[in-house]
Amino acid sequence: MKFQGTGEYVATPELQMAVNAAITLQRPLLLKGEPGTGKTMLAEQLATSLGTDLIQWHIKSTTKAHQGLYEYDAVSRLRDSQLGVDGVNDISNYIVKGKLWEAFEADKPVVLLIDEIDKADIEFPNDLLLEIDKMEFFVYETQERIVAKHRPIILITSNNEKELPDAFLRRCFFHYIDFPDRETMKAIVDVHFPNIQAELVNDALEVFFDVRKVPGLKKKPSTSELVDWLKLLMADELGVELLRNHDTTKAIPPMAGALVKNEQDVHLLERLAFMSRRRG
Protein backbone atom coordinates (compact mmCIF):
# COMPACT_ATOMS: atom_id res chain seq x y z
CA MET A 1 0.00 0.00 0.00
CA LYS A 2 1.26 3.44 -0.95
CA PHE A 3 0.75 6.45 1.27
CA GLN A 4 -1.09 9.22 -0.58
CA GLY A 5 -2.28 11.36 2.29
CA THR A 6 -5.71 11.08 3.89
CA GLY A 7 -8.94 13.00 4.01
CA GLU A 8 -7.61 14.72 7.13
CA TYR A 9 -4.00 15.29 6.05
CA VAL A 10 -2.78 17.07 2.92
CA ALA A 11 0.53 15.48 1.90
CA THR A 12 2.53 17.07 -0.91
CA PRO A 13 3.86 14.75 -3.65
CA GLU A 14 7.38 15.20 -2.22
CA LEU A 15 6.25 14.10 1.23
CA GLN A 16 4.35 11.13 -0.17
CA MET A 17 7.50 10.08 -2.05
CA ALA A 18 9.61 10.37 1.11
CA VAL A 19 7.22 8.24 3.18
CA ASN A 20 6.96 5.52 0.55
CA ALA A 21 10.72 5.55 -0.09
CA ALA A 22 11.45 5.05 3.62
CA ILE A 23 8.98 2.16 3.76
CA THR A 24 10.52 0.55 0.68
CA LEU A 25 14.07 0.94 1.99
CA GLN A 26 13.03 -0.14 5.50
CA ARG A 27 14.77 2.91 6.90
CA PRO A 28 13.55 5.33 9.56
CA LEU A 29 12.08 8.49 8.05
CA LEU A 30 13.70 11.55 9.63
CA LEU A 31 11.41 14.57 9.34
CA LYS A 32 12.51 18.14 9.90
CA GLY A 33 10.64 21.38 9.39
CA GLU A 34 9.24 24.36 11.24
CA PRO A 35 7.20 23.53 14.36
CA GLY A 36 3.55 23.24 13.40
CA THR A 37 4.07 21.87 9.88
CA GLY A 38 2.39 18.55 10.67
CA LYS A 39 5.31 16.24 11.41
CA THR A 40 3.65 14.51 14.35
CA MET A 41 0.25 14.42 12.68
CA LEU A 42 1.81 12.64 9.70
CA ALA A 43 2.56 9.61 11.89
CA GLU A 44 -1.05 9.52 13.09
CA GLN A 45 -2.45 9.74 9.58
CA LEU A 46 0.07 7.23 8.17
CA ALA A 47 -1.05 4.65 10.75
CA THR A 48 -4.68 5.38 9.87
CA SER A 49 -4.09 5.04 6.12
CA LEU A 50 -2.22 1.75 6.57
CA GLY A 51 -4.82 0.39 8.99
CA THR A 52 -2.28 -0.25 11.73
CA ASP A 53 -1.48 0.95 15.25
CA LEU A 54 0.56 3.99 16.21
CA ILE A 55 3.06 3.80 19.06
CA GLN A 56 4.31 7.22 20.16
CA TRP A 57 7.51 7.88 22.06
CA HIS A 58 7.68 11.56 22.98
CA ILE A 59 11.26 12.53 23.80
CA LYS A 60 12.18 14.91 26.64
CA SER A 61 15.50 16.40 27.68
CA THR A 62 15.81 13.72 30.37
CA THR A 63 14.89 10.75 28.16
CA LYS A 64 17.49 8.00 27.81
CA ALA A 65 17.68 5.55 24.92
CA HIS A 66 17.37 2.46 27.14
CA GLN A 67 13.94 3.67 28.26
CA GLY A 68 12.70 2.93 24.75
CA LEU A 69 13.81 -0.67 25.21
CA TYR A 70 12.93 -1.42 28.83
CA GLU A 71 13.51 -0.35 32.41
CA TYR A 72 14.25 -2.50 35.43
CA ASP A 73 12.20 -1.31 38.42
CA ALA A 74 14.65 -2.18 41.19
CA VAL A 75 12.91 0.10 43.71
CA SER A 76 9.59 -1.77 43.42
CA ARG A 77 11.34 -5.10 43.73
CA LEU A 78 13.16 -3.99 46.87
CA ARG A 79 9.91 -2.74 48.40
CA ASP A 80 8.08 -5.97 47.52
CA SER A 81 10.88 -8.06 48.99
CA GLN A 82 10.58 -6.17 52.27
CA LEU A 83 6.82 -6.74 52.27
CA GLY A 84 7.11 -10.41 51.34
CA VAL A 85 5.13 -10.07 48.11
CA ASP A 86 4.77 -13.23 46.01
CA GLY A 87 6.74 -13.31 42.76
CA VAL A 88 9.54 -11.08 43.98
CA ASN A 89 12.07 -13.73 42.93
CA ASP A 90 10.91 -13.51 39.31
CA ILE A 91 12.85 -10.53 37.98
CA SER A 92 10.70 -10.40 34.84
CA ASN A 93 7.87 -9.04 36.99
CA TYR A 94 9.90 -5.85 37.37
CA ILE A 95 10.83 -5.30 33.74
CA VAL A 96 8.85 -2.40 32.26
CA LYS A 97 8.60 -2.60 28.48
CA GLY A 98 9.52 0.48 26.45
CA LYS A 99 8.03 1.76 23.21
CA LEU A 100 10.50 -0.11 20.98
CA TRP A 101 9.73 -3.35 22.79
CA GLU A 102 6.00 -2.72 22.23
CA ALA A 103 6.64 -2.13 18.52
CA PHE A 104 8.87 -5.21 18.23
CA GLU A 105 6.35 -7.60 19.78
CA ALA A 106 3.31 -6.30 17.86
CA ASP A 107 1.51 -8.89 15.76
CA LYS A 108 1.59 -6.66 12.68
CA PRO A 109 3.84 -3.88 11.39
CA VAL A 110 3.06 -0.73 13.37
CA VAL A 111 4.03 2.91 12.98
CA LEU A 112 6.53 3.95 15.65
CA LEU A 113 6.90 7.70 16.19
CA ILE A 114 10.04 8.95 17.94
CA ASP A 115 8.97 12.54 18.44
CA GLU A 116 11.40 15.47 18.80
CA ILE A 117 14.55 13.38 19.05
CA ASP A 118 16.68 16.55 19.16
CA LYS A 119 15.43 17.33 22.67
CA ALA A 120 17.47 14.48 24.15
CA ASP A 121 21.17 14.26 24.87
CA ILE A 122 23.49 14.29 21.84
CA GLU A 123 24.36 10.60 22.40
CA PHE A 124 20.71 9.52 22.42
CA PRO A 125 20.46 8.79 18.65
CA ASN A 126 23.72 6.82 18.61
CA ASP A 127 22.54 4.71 21.52
CA LEU A 128 19.66 3.44 19.35
CA LEU A 129 21.71 2.62 16.24
CA LEU A 130 22.17 -1.11 16.86
CA GLU A 131 18.58 -1.75 17.89
CA ILE A 132 17.14 0.09 14.89
CA ASP A 133 19.57 -1.63 12.52
CA LYS A 134 19.25 -5.17 13.84
CA MET A 135 15.64 -4.95 15.03
CA GLU A 136 16.59 -6.73 18.23
CA PHE A 137 18.06 -6.12 21.68
CA PHE A 138 19.15 -8.07 24.74
CA VAL A 139 17.57 -7.91 28.20
CA TYR A 140 20.47 -8.51 30.56
CA GLU A 141 18.37 -8.96 33.70
CA THR A 142 16.40 -11.88 32.23
CA GLN A 143 19.02 -13.02 29.70
CA GLU A 144 16.52 -12.98 26.82
CA ARG A 145 16.85 -11.61 23.32
CA ILE A 146 13.92 -9.61 21.97
CA VAL A 147 13.60 -9.80 18.19
CA ALA A 148 11.03 -7.84 16.22
CA LYS A 149 8.19 -9.98 14.85
CA HIS A 150 7.65 -7.37 12.14
CA ARG A 151 9.80 -4.38 11.24
CA PRO A 152 7.94 -1.25 12.38
CA ILE A 153 7.64 1.83 10.17
CA ILE A 154 9.70 4.36 12.11
CA LEU A 155 9.13 8.11 11.86
CA ILE A 156 11.54 10.41 13.70
CA THR A 157 10.88 14.13 14.05
CA SER A 158 13.34 16.91 14.81
CA ASN A 159 12.93 20.66 15.26
CA ASN A 160 16.64 21.27 14.66
CA GLU A 161 17.36 22.23 18.27
CA LYS A 162 20.68 20.41 17.92
CA GLU A 163 22.60 18.58 15.21
CA LEU A 164 22.18 14.81 14.95
CA PRO A 165 25.22 12.48 14.64
CA ASP A 166 26.37 11.54 11.14
CA ALA A 167 26.25 7.81 11.92
CA PHE A 168 22.58 8.17 12.80
CA LEU A 169 21.78 10.30 9.75
CA ARG A 170 23.31 7.68 7.43
CA ARG A 171 20.71 5.18 8.57
CA CYS A 172 17.72 7.43 7.91
CA PHE A 173 15.81 8.62 4.87
CA PHE A 174 15.63 12.38 5.31
CA HIS A 175 12.87 14.80 4.33
CA TYR A 176 12.47 18.47 5.14
CA ILE A 177 8.84 19.60 5.18
CA ASP A 178 8.81 22.98 3.47
CA PHE A 179 6.34 25.49 4.79
CA PRO A 180 3.16 25.16 2.68
CA ASP A 181 2.66 27.62 -0.14
CA ARG A 182 -0.61 29.51 -0.43
CA GLU A 183 -2.34 26.86 -2.55
CA THR A 184 -1.35 24.00 -0.25
CA MET A 185 -2.32 26.06 2.80
CA LYS A 186 -5.75 26.69 1.32
CA ALA A 187 -6.17 22.93 0.82
CA ILE A 188 -5.17 22.36 4.46
CA VAL A 189 -7.71 24.95 5.62
CA ASP A 190 -10.41 23.30 3.50
CA VAL A 191 -9.69 19.98 5.22
CA HIS A 192 -10.12 21.52 8.67
CA PHE A 193 -13.06 23.77 7.75
CA PRO A 194 -14.90 22.30 4.75
CA ASN A 195 -17.73 24.86 4.95
CA ILE A 196 -15.68 27.98 5.59
CA GLN A 197 -16.40 31.14 3.57
CA ALA A 198 -14.01 31.55 0.66
CA GLU A 199 -13.75 35.28 1.39
CA LEU A 200 -12.64 34.62 4.94
CA VAL A 201 -9.98 32.15 3.78
CA ASN A 202 -8.60 34.54 1.16
CA ASP A 203 -8.48 37.51 3.53
CA ALA A 204 -7.02 35.46 6.37
CA LEU A 205 -4.31 33.93 4.17
CA GLU A 206 -3.39 37.39 2.93
CA VAL A 207 -2.86 38.62 6.49
CA PHE A 208 -1.20 35.38 7.59
CA PHE A 209 1.46 35.37 4.87
CA ASP A 210 2.01 39.12 5.31
CA VAL A 211 2.82 38.51 8.99
CA ARG A 212 5.18 35.67 8.08
CA LYS A 213 7.03 37.98 5.67
CA VAL A 214 7.84 40.52 8.39
CA PRO A 215 11.65 40.52 8.77
CA GLY A 216 12.99 39.93 12.24
CA LEU A 217 10.11 37.90 13.66
CA LYS A 218 11.34 35.64 16.44
CA LYS A 219 8.55 33.10 15.90
CA LYS A 220 6.72 33.01 12.58
CA PRO A 221 3.11 31.80 12.80
CA SER A 222 2.70 28.18 11.72
CA THR A 223 -0.05 26.10 10.13
CA SER A 224 -1.52 25.07 13.46
CA GLU A 225 -1.67 28.71 14.55
CA LEU A 226 -3.48 29.69 11.35
CA VAL A 227 -6.06 26.98 12.05
CA ASP A 228 -6.56 28.29 15.60
CA TRP A 229 -6.89 31.86 14.33
CA LEU A 230 -9.49 30.89 11.73
CA LYS A 231 -11.43 28.99 14.38
CA LEU A 232 -11.57 32.18 16.46
CA LEU A 233 -12.64 34.31 13.51
CA MET A 234 -15.40 31.85 12.63
CA ALA A 235 -16.60 31.59 16.23
CA ASP A 236 -16.89 35.37 16.42
CA GLU A 237 -19.16 35.30 13.33
CA LEU A 238 -17.58 38.58 12.25
CA GLY A 239 -14.41 37.16 10.72
CA VAL A 240 -14.59 38.74 7.27
CA GLU A 241 -15.70 42.13 8.63
CA LEU A 242 -12.99 42.11 11.29
CA LEU A 243 -10.32 41.44 8.71
CA ARG A 244 -11.60 43.85 6.11
CA ASN A 245 -12.49 46.69 8.45
CA HIS A 246 -9.90 46.40 11.18
CA ASP A 247 -8.32 49.75 11.98
CA THR A 248 -5.13 50.12 9.98
CA THR A 249 -3.72 52.27 12.79
CA LYS A 250 -3.77 49.23 15.04
CA ALA A 251 -0.56 47.33 15.39
CA ILE A 252 -1.61 43.82 14.50
CA PRO A 253 -4.64 41.99 13.03
CA PRO A 254 -7.68 41.23 15.23
CA MET A 255 -7.29 38.35 17.70
CA ALA A 256 -3.68 37.99 16.61
CA GLY A 257 -2.78 36.38 19.93
CA ALA A 258 -3.39 33.14 18.06
CA LEU A 259 -0.68 34.10 15.55
CA VAL A 260 1.93 36.07 17.50
CA LYS A 261 3.28 34.25 20.53
CA ASN A 262 5.82 36.51 22.24
CA GLU A 263 6.15 40.12 23.29
CA GLN A 264 9.18 40.81 21.09
CA ASP A 265 7.16 40.06 17.95
CA VAL A 266 4.21 42.12 19.22
CA HIS A 267 6.50 45.10 19.78
CA LEU A 268 8.07 44.61 16.35
CA LEU A 269 4.68 44.68 14.64
CA GLU A 270 3.67 47.73 16.68
CA ARG A 271 6.81 49.58 15.60
CA LEU A 272 6.20 48.67 11.96
CA ALA A 273 2.59 49.84 12.22
CA PHE A 274 3.75 53.12 13.80
CA MET A 275 6.26 53.69 11.00
CA SER A 276 3.55 52.90 8.44
CA ARG A 277 1.23 55.46 10.02
CA ARG A 278 4.01 58.07 9.98
CA ARG A 279 4.62 57.46 6.29
CA GLY A 280 0.85 57.62 5.68
Side-chain angles (χ1 to χ4, degrees):
M1 181 183 293
K2 295 288 186 181
F3 177 69
Q4 297 177 321
T6 69
E8 299 178 11
Y9 189 89
V10 178
T12 62
E14 294 79 13
L15 180 56
Q16 294 177 33
M17 181 278 295
V19 171
N20 292 319
I23 294 174
T24 300
L25 293 173
Q26 296 186 329
R27 297 274 190 178
L29 174 59
L30 174 61
L31 294 167
K32 291 187 178 183
E34 288 185 34
T37 49
K39 299 187 293 295
T40 301
M41 189 178 180
L42 171 62
E44 300 169 359
Q45 295 302 313
L46 176 59
T48 298
S49 70
L50 298 179
T52 190
D53 297 325
L54 171 66
I55 296 176
Q56 302 186 59
W57 186 15
H58 298 290
I59 306 303
K60 301 178 181 179
S61 59
T62 56
T63 304
K64 301 299 181 185
H66 69 82
Q67 293 172 319
L69 308 177
Y70 70 93
E71 290 186 272
Y72 168 48
D73 192 350
V75 174
S76 293
R77 191 182 188 199
L78 175 61
R79 182 195 61 226
D80 290 349
S81 67
Q82 293 171 339
L83 297 174
V85 175
D86 291 338
V88 72
N89 292 326
D90 185 356
I91 197 170
S92 64
N93 292 330
Y94 302 93
I95 299 294
V96 180
K97 296 178 181 179
K99 298 299 183 181
L100 265 73
W101 192 332
E102 290 180 30
F104 284 6
E105 71 175 4
D107 292 327
K108 59 181 178 180
V110 299
V111 175
L112 172 63
L113 171 64
I114 304 177
D115 200 21
E116 298 188 337
I117 194 172
D118 52 323
K119 281 188 175 180
D121 182 84
I122 188 63
E123 291 302 322
F124 178 93
N126 282 337
D127 291 341
L128 290 176
L129 288 180
L130 182 61
E131 290 75 15
I132 290 178
D133 261 357
K134 302 295 185 182
M135 285 287 125
E136 64 179 51
F137 63 90
F138 191 72
V139 183
Y140 293 96
E141 288 79 2
T142 60
Q143 294 295 298
E144 64 178 321
R145 186 173 299 278
I146 306 300
V147 180
K149 295 180 182 178
H150 304 278
R151 178 179 286 271
I153 300 168
I154 302 176
L155 269 64
I156 303 171
T157 70
S158 169
N159 287 326
N160 260 345
E161 291 186 11
K162 62 170 67 78
E163 291 296 324
L164 299 175
D166 288 345
F168 180 79
L169 294 175
R170 283 197 300 271
R171 289 164 170 81
C172 298
F173 189 94
F174 171 76
H175 181 72
Y176 185 88
I177 300 180
D178 289 316
F179 195 83
D181 58 21
R182 189 186 179 98
E183 183 179 346
T184 304
M185 188 65 80
K186 187 177 184 304
I188 293 171
V189 170
D190 290 341
V191 166
H192 286 275
F193 308 109
N195 300 316
I196 193 171
Q197 300 175 49
E199 291 176 294
L200 176 56
V201 174
N202 290 332
D203 290 344
L205 288 179
E206 194 72 35
V207 173
F208 175 77
F209 280 104
D210 280 348
V211 172
R212 280 188 57 87
K213 290 176 185 174
V214 172
L217 274 185
K218 185 175 181 181
K219 163 94 174 58
K220 293 182 180 181
S222 67
T223 308
S224 60
E225 287 153 351
L226 171 63
V227 171
D228 287 344
W229 188 48
L230 283 170
K231 190 180 298 182
L232 283 174
L233 294 174
M234 292 171 65
D236 196 81
E237 297 183 355
L238 296 172
V240 175
E241 288 74 15
L242 278 170
L243 284 179
R244 286 184 171 175
N245 303 322
H246 87 274
D247 188 351
T248 55
T249 63
K250 291 183 179 178
I252 52 179
M255 293 184 282
L259 295 176
V260 184
K261 296 301 179 76
N262 61 68
E263 65 276 13
Q264 294 97 320
D265 289 346
V266 171
H267 294 157
L268 173 61
L269 292 176
E270 288 175 342
R271 288 196 300 272
L272 291 174
F274 174 75
M275 293 168 62
S276 178
R277 292 196 300 271
R278 289 285 299 271
R279 287 195 297 269

